[in-house]
Amino acid sequence: MADSASSPQKITKQIFGETYTIIGEAPPEYIASIAEFVEERLKEIATSLPNASKTKVAVLCALNLADELFQMKEKGILTEETKEIEDRTKKIISLLEEGIIGDIY
C-alpha cells in the first residue's frame, strides 16, 4: 500500500490511446501502477468486444472494477487499507470520466 505524499504528485500517462495528466497524493510509481492496471483491464474488455466504442469499454471497465469492490465489501474483506484503495479508485474513475466526457462534448 502506498503512503500518502506530503504534496500532490503529477504524472502523465497514456491509457487506452489517450494521454492523461494524473495528479494525486500517492507516489508517482503507485499512480503509474494503477494506470497500468486500468490499461490492462481496458485492453481485456476491448479484445472481447472489438466493435465497442472507447466510451462503452471504459464504462464496462468501471462497472467491473466497482463489482469487484462491492464483492469485497460483501465478503467483509475491506479494511482501513482497502478503504483507502476504494477512495483512490473513485478518484481515478472520476478523472477517467472527466477525460471521456471531454472527448465526447
Side-chain angles (χ1 to χ4, degrees):
M1 184 71 214
D3 293 325
S4 293
S6 60
S7 63
Q9 303 293 310
K10 177 178 169 181
I11 70 163
T12 301
K13 196 78 176 151
Q14 189 161 355
I15 304 171
F16 205 50
E18 301 292 328
T19 302
Y20 294 92
T21 299
I22 305 168
I23 300 171
E25 294 179 5
E29 301 81 21
Y30 179 78
I31 296 170
S33 68
I34 292 203
E36 290 167 13
F37 176 78
V38 170
E39 168 81 5
E40 288 304 313
R41 296 299 290 270
L42 289 165
K43 285 180 181 178
E44 288 173 14
I45 294 168
T47 299
S48 65
L49 298 169
N51 296 323
S53 68
K54 282 186 172 185
T55 301
K56 188 171 195 169
V57 170
V59 169
L60 290 171
C61 182
L63 288 170
N64 285 338
L65 293 172
D67 176 50
E68 289 177 20
L69 180 63
F70 276 54
Q71 287 182 35
M72 288 176 65
K73 282 183 179 180
E74 287 176 7
K75 292 178 181 174
I77 296 172
L78 289 182
T79 62
E80 191 60 39
E81 206 170 72
T82 53
K83 173 69 173 128
E84 186 177 345
I85 293 169
E86 176 184 9
D87 292 342
R88 289 181 181 187
T89 302
K90 286 179 183 178
K91 288 178 187 177
I92 290 170
I93 289 171
S94 175
L95 290 170
L96 286 171
E97 288 172 346
E98 288 175 22
I100 290 168
I101 291 170
D103 292 343
I104 294 173
Y105 298 104

